[in-house]
């Protein structure tokens, strides 16, 4: 199924392919259906449909100079490019481009760990390095640093950070883009630019002050289409001497408000790593009497039934990094604060492990309570174990979930905001006739990003793998996004199929943010060759495609 | 046999021996490369050991346990039927929730090396099994 880039004829495309081959070597330019199949989104909602987002070719450079040559050729023929790093951004589109017929720039071969400094605590990597690669590099050399990894860990620090991915350790490191420290970018005209202190040719501190001097354009490359990032630095956490966990439970529904307030205080003092919220009342959702109370958000009745069942309303699992004594001191302090702020709060000591951890300690929990923490990632260890969620299982032995997608809305970091979101999302689910498994009175937020909560809304529409089912689900998800926006909830990340819809949520002052970005885009990338449509930012050359996937 | 004939025969035998050694070395090298690539790319999902969240197996191993119900080993390193052609089909097309792998991640030559490694690792698994 040979396809051409939009606006490019077969003769021009053949000439461009020849130039790509000259740039990177014949064996690293892919045009056959067989070779291009892995460049499709394995979880696409529009798989095998005429509008499926598939590339016309893929090119695998190994050097920055080769990336520059590819960009110059693309400019010559006005061919849209789409850069990927490890191509594992599943649930958010995988390796698929925003525009059908783009040429994928596959940076996987640029897989060098350029530097890891365990005295100044940073690493510098190329795009093809995965979290697993970086972790092994550090372990093989006995370096005293931890990484903050997403889950699963086959993605790339650069790719994940550029899509605003998030992790699981201390707050500062969990924001992967925020924890970057300088980048090198091939601009749409083929020039190489370095940000921060890297703009100083003789700099000895590129990765120690990312702002440099003057306006810092780094943010344009996050979920952006203003350049191809070829190197990036990241702050790394010093390897702690000790890792400790503990559980806090609180009895009543309203206790969630002071619980979040207290956890925020501990988080922003960098006393705790990522907190993991939960509810003891999930167990009662199958109980009709409790479900009625929960659906009505009847706090008094929920509390009564929780007490009758000897269950706590909320819980949070805390984790501490430091020495044995400081982690113990911080846990004791957390308990003191909780007891002071929340009558009836209870505490259970979790694990207390000396670092470095053994393989067995990483794999096997000795937590004396049922923990929902994903321990390997809180310990900075990347893996693929979490992939069980998408695959064949005892409960689902003859099918797999092809509609794996991520959609999370930003929620204010307070108990009150969570209660409001519970009501709003439950109401949206009811009006749109969606299952409300996640949208109910015991739905808990995730605190991946330190300064805000994320809650999923719309996951209930997954599961129908037929083309009609996927189309219906996609339309429903678009309506969810619209309803979210009306109530003040914006999503933080999306697959290309829904990026225009998420971008539409951010409409303040007649979409001035988008107009600003597109003004920049047209100036920096006049031919519109770099990832047109990424995050809803369309260059003039392809602006007519905005919303085209809505079908 | 004249001295000249003997020398010629000995020389030929030597060539055959050298060529044979080279072939063995190349095979060993392929097995080593295949092992390294398998451990890097495949084992995080298809290796031995426990999975996440208290699961007994890693996701790929668990999926094959459910799929084959004991008719084939769930561990790829114990399989004797994974030729390069079979591996290439699964790797390039993907299988269920395992996404396809691009040529930049695994070249055809690397897939052949993995097949060479699996052929070797399955022999070790079989002999270990027999010893038990």
């Amino acid at each position: 199924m040979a396809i051409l880039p939009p606006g490019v004829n077969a003769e021009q495309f053949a000439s461009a392919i020849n130039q790509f081959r000259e740039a990177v070597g014949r064996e690293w330019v892919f045009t056959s259906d067989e070779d291009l199949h892995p460049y499709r989104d394995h979880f696409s909602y529009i798989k095998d449909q005429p509008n499926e987002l598939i590339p016309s070719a893929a090119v695998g450079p190994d050097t920055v100079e080769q990336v520059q040559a590819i960009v110059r050729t693309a400019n010559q023929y006005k061919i849209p490019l789409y850069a990927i790093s490890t191509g594992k951004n599943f649930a958010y589109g995988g390796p698929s481009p925003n525009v059908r017929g783009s040429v994928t720039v596959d940076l996987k071969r640029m897989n060098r760990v350029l530097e890891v400094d365990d005295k100044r605590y940073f690493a510098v990597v190329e795009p093809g390095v995965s979290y697993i690669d970086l972790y092994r590099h550090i372990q093989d050399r006995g370096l005293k640093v931890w990484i903050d990894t997403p889950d699963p860990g086959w993605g790339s620090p650069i790719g994940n950070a550029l899509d605003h991915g998030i992790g699981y350790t201390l707050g500062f490191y969990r924001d992967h883009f925020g924890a970057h420290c300088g980048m090198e970018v091939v601009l749409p005209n083929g020039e190489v630019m370095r940000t921060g202190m890297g703009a100083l040719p003789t700099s000895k501190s590129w990765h120690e002050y990312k702002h440099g001097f003057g306006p810092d354009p780094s943010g344009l490359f996050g979920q952006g289409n203003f350049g191809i990032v070829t190197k990036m630095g990241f702050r790394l956490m010093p390897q702690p001497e000790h890792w400790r966990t503990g559980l806090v439970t609180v009895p009543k529904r309203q206790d969630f408000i002071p619980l979040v307030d207290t956890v925020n205080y501990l988080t922003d003092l960098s006393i705790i790593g990522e907190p993991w919220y939960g509810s003891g009342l999930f167990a009662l959702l199958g109980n009709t009497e409790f479900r009625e109370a929960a659906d009505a958000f009847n706090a008094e009745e929920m509390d009564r039934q929780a007490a009758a069942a000897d269950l706590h309303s909320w819980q949070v699992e805390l984790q501490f990094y430091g020495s044995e004594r400081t982690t113990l001191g911080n846990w004791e302090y957390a308990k003191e604060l909780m007891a002071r702020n929340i009558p009836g709060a209870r505490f259970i000591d979790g694990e207390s492990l000396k670092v470095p951890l053994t393989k067995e300690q990483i794999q096997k929990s000795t937590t004396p309570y049922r923990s929902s923490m994903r321990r390997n990632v809180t310990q900075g260890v990347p893996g693929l174990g979490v992939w069980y969620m998408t695959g064949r299982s005892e409960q689902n032995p003859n099918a797999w979930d092809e509609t794996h997608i991520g959609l999370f809305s930003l929620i204010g970091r307070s108990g009150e905001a969570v209660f409001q979101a519970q009501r709003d999302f439950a109401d949206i689910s009811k009006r749109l006739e969606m299952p409300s498994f996640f949208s109910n009175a015991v739905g808990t937020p995730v605190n991946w990003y330190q300064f805000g909560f994320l809650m999923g809304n719309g996951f209930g529409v997954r599961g129908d793998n037929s083309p009609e089912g996927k189309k219906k689900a996609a339309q429903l998800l678009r309506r969810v996004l619209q309803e979210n926006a009306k109530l003040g909830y914006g999503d933080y990340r999306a697959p290309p199929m829904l990026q225009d819809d998420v971008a539409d949520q951010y409409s303040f002052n007649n979409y001035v943010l988008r107009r600003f970005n597109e003004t920049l885009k047209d100036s920096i990338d006049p031919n519109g060759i770099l990832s047109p449509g990424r995050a809803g930012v369309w260059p003039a050359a392809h602006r007519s495609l905005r919303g085209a996937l809505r079908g | 046999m004249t001295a000249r004939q003997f020398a010629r025969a000995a020389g030929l035998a030597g060539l055959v021996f050298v060529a044979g050694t080279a072939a063995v070395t190349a095979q060993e090298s392929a097995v080593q490369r295949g092992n390294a690539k398998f451990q890097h790319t495949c084992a995080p999902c298809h290796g031995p050991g426990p999975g996440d969240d208290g699961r007994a197996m890693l996701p790929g191993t668990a999926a094959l346990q459910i799929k084959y119900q004991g008719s084939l080993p769930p561990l790829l390193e114990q399989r004797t039927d994974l030729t390069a052609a079979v591996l290439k089909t699964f790797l390039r097309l993907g299988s269920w929730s395992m996404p396809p792998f691009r040529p930049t991640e695994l070249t055809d030559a690397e897939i052949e090396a993995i097949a060479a490694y699996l052929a070797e690792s399955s022999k070790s698994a079989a002999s270990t099994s027999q010893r038990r």
Side-chain angles (χ1 to χ4, degrees), chain A residues 42 88 106 133 374 388, chain B residues 40 52-53 96 102 104-105:
Chain A
H42 195 55
K88 303 298 184 195
D106 181 348
D133 293 334
R374 295 191 43 72
Y388 76 83
Chain B
H40 175 271
D52 285 18
D53 299 337
W96 283 47
R102 311 186 306 277
T104 51
E105 299 175 272

Side-chain angles (χ1 to χ4, degrees), chain A residues 408-482:
Chain A
F408 291 91
S409 300
L410 252 296
I411 310 294
R413 196 173 48 140
S414 71
E416 292 94 335
V418 170
F419 286 167
Q420 186 62 49
Q422 288 173 342
R423 285 175 178 274
D424 289 339
F425 290 170
D427 182 53
I428 290 170
S429 295
K430 195 173 176 183
R431 281 190 285 113
L432 299 184
E433 298 178 350
M434 293 192 303
S436 59
F437 182 76
F438 291 99
S439 308
N440 55 53
V442 297
T444 50
V446 289
N447 201 180
W448 298 330
Y449 178 67
Q450 177 178 353
F451 302 115
F453 281 154
L454 291 162
M455 291 179 78
N457 186 19
F459 287 98
V461 304
R462 298 190 305 171
D464 184 343
N465 292 335
S466 70
E468 299 75 26
K470 287 180 179 176
K471 188 171 182 181
K472 190 176 165 191
Q475 299 296 26
L476 196 48
L477 287 172
R478 291 191 171 99
R479 290 190 61 195
V480 171
L481 295 172
Q482 289 168 359

Side-chain angles (χ1 to χ4, degrees), chain A residues 28 30 34-35 37-39 42-43 60 84-88 90 106 108-109 132-133 136 154 363 373-374 376 384-394 397-400, chain B residues 36 39-45 48-55 58-59 62-67 69 88 91-105 107:
Chain A
W28 299 112
F30 307 107
E34 181 189 1
D35 283 342
H37 181 82
Y39 289 90
H42 195 55
F43 297 90
I84 62 170
S85 44
T86 59
K88 303 298 184 195
F90 298 116
D106 181 348
K108 179 62 195 170
R109 294 177 64 222
I132 292 174
D133 293 334
R136 287 178 178 169
W154 51 10
Q363 288 178 334
M373 279 177 60
R374 295 191 43 72
N376 60 310
L384 296 184
V386 73
W387 208 237
Y388 76 83
M389 290 183 179
T390 66
R392 198 190 298 260
S393 64
E394 295 290 358
N398 294 311
W400 60 287
Chain B
Q39 303 310 331
H40 175 271
T41 307
C42 314
C45 207
D52 285 18
D53 299 337
R55 282 172 166 69
L58 288 167
L64 296 181
Q65 171 74 29
I66 295 166
K67 180 178 180 180
Q69 295 291 316
K88 192 176 171 189
L91 286 166
R92 293 286 185 248
L93 294 177
S95 177
W96 283 47
S97 61
M98 182 182 86
F101 284 75
R102 311 186 306 277
T104 51
E105 299 175 272
T107 64

Side-chain angles (χ1 to χ4, degrees), chain A residues 200-217:
Chain A
L200 179 70
T202 55
S203 173
K204 295 176 177 61
S205 54
W206 183 9
H207 305 293
E208 289 171 302
Y209 186 64
K210 67 180 175 183
H211 303 301
F213 183 72
D216 176 10

Side-chain angles (χ1 to χ4, degrees), chain A residues 243-247 317 349-353 357-376 378-379, chain B residues 50-55:
Chain A
W243 181 76
R244 183 185 297 272
T245 59
L247 175 72
E317 292 180 68
D349 293 352
E351 290 181 283
S352 172
L353 300 176
L357 303 165
T358 66
K359 190 176 177 184
E360 188 179 33
Q361 286 174 323
I362 293 166
Q363 288 178 334
K364 192 172 182 185
S365 170
T366 54
T367 310
Y369 46 84
R370 187 174 175 181
S371 172
S372 59
M373 279 177 60
R374 295 191 43 72
R375 59 189 288 106
N376 60 310
T378 60
Q379 296 162 347
Chain B
D52 285 18
D53 299 337
R55 282 172 166 69

Side-chain angles (χ1 to χ4, degrees), chain B residues 24-50:
Chain B
V24 169
T25 305
Q27 179 64 14
E28 282 175 357
S29 170
V31 170
Q32 285 170 0
R33 280 185 284 111
N35 184 6
K37 201 68 189 176
F38 181 88
Q39 303 310 331
H40 175 271
T41 307
C42 314
C45 207
H46 283 285

Side-chain angles (χ1 to χ4, degrees), chain A residues 52-282:
Chain A
E52 182 183 352
L53 298 171
I54 55 180
S56 55
V59 189
D62 186 41
T63 65
V64 177
E65 292 75 19
Q66 291 178 2
V67 175
Q68 292 178 275
I70 292 165
V71 168
R72 290 186 184 117
T73 296
N75 262 313
Q76 183 181 344
Y77 295 97
K78 297 183 172 51
I79 292 174
L81 301 175
Y82 186 82
I84 62 170
S85 44
T86 59
K88 303 298 184 195
N89 199 21
F90 298 116
Y92 300 106
S96 71
N98 283 76
V99 169
R100 181 181 169 91
S102 298
V103 169
T104 300
V105 182
D106 181 348
L107 302 168
K108 179 62 195 170
R109 294 177 64 222
M110 297 175 67
N111 59 0
R112 289 158 283 250
V113 176
L114 299 170
E115 188 175 2
V116 176
D117 191 317
D118 68 351
K119 301 289 188 299
R120 298 187 293 174
Y121 302 114
F122 64 82
V124 186
V125 295
E126 292 187 327
V129 172
S130 71
Y131 284 95
I132 292 174
D133 293 334
L134 181 56
Y135 175 77
R136 287 178 178 169
H137 179 98
I138 290 165
Q139 295 302 309
D140 289 348
R141 289 158 182 78
L143 300 170
K144 307 292 186 198
V145 284
W146 274 20
I147 63 170
D148 189 289
T149 178
D151 207 11
W154 51 10
S156 127
I158 289 184
N160 186 269
L162 292 180
D163 204 31
H164 296 167
I166 320 171
Y168 299 90
T169 63
L170 276 176
F172 171 77
Y173 304 98
R174 296 207 299 273
D175 173 6
H176 293 165
F177 189 82
H180 96 265
C181 50
M183 60 177 81
E184 177 187 88
V185 188
V186 174
L187 296 172
N189 66 359
E191 279 193 292
V192 176
M193 180 176 81
R194 290 181 172 178
T195 66
M197 297 309 291
L200 179 70
T202 55
S203 173
K204 295 176 177 61
S205 54
W206 183 9
H207 305 293
E208 289 171 302
Y209 186 64
K210 67 180 175 183
H211 303 301
F213 183 72
D216 176 10
S218 302
L220 293 172
F221 305 105
Q223 294 186 346
N225 48 14
F226 293 92
I228 296 177
V229 177
T230 48
K231 292 182 184 67
M232 204 161 164
F234 294 96
R235 306 303 315 176
L236 297 179
M237 186 164 92
Q239 176 181 288
E241 293 182 9
H242 207 81
W243 181 76
R244 183 185 297 272
T245 59
L247 175 72
V248 181
T249 66
V250 294
K252 295 181 179 175
R253 177 168 176 77
Q254 287 301 117
D255 292 337
F256 193 60
I257 292 169
L259 180 68
V260 171
D261 291 346
T262 310
V263 169
N264 287 350
Y265 180 80
L266 294 167
T267 297
D268 289 6
L269 277 175
S270 294
I271 285 174
I272 58 172
E274 183 182 342
W276 293 61
Y277 289 100
S279 170
L281 304 182
F282 282 122

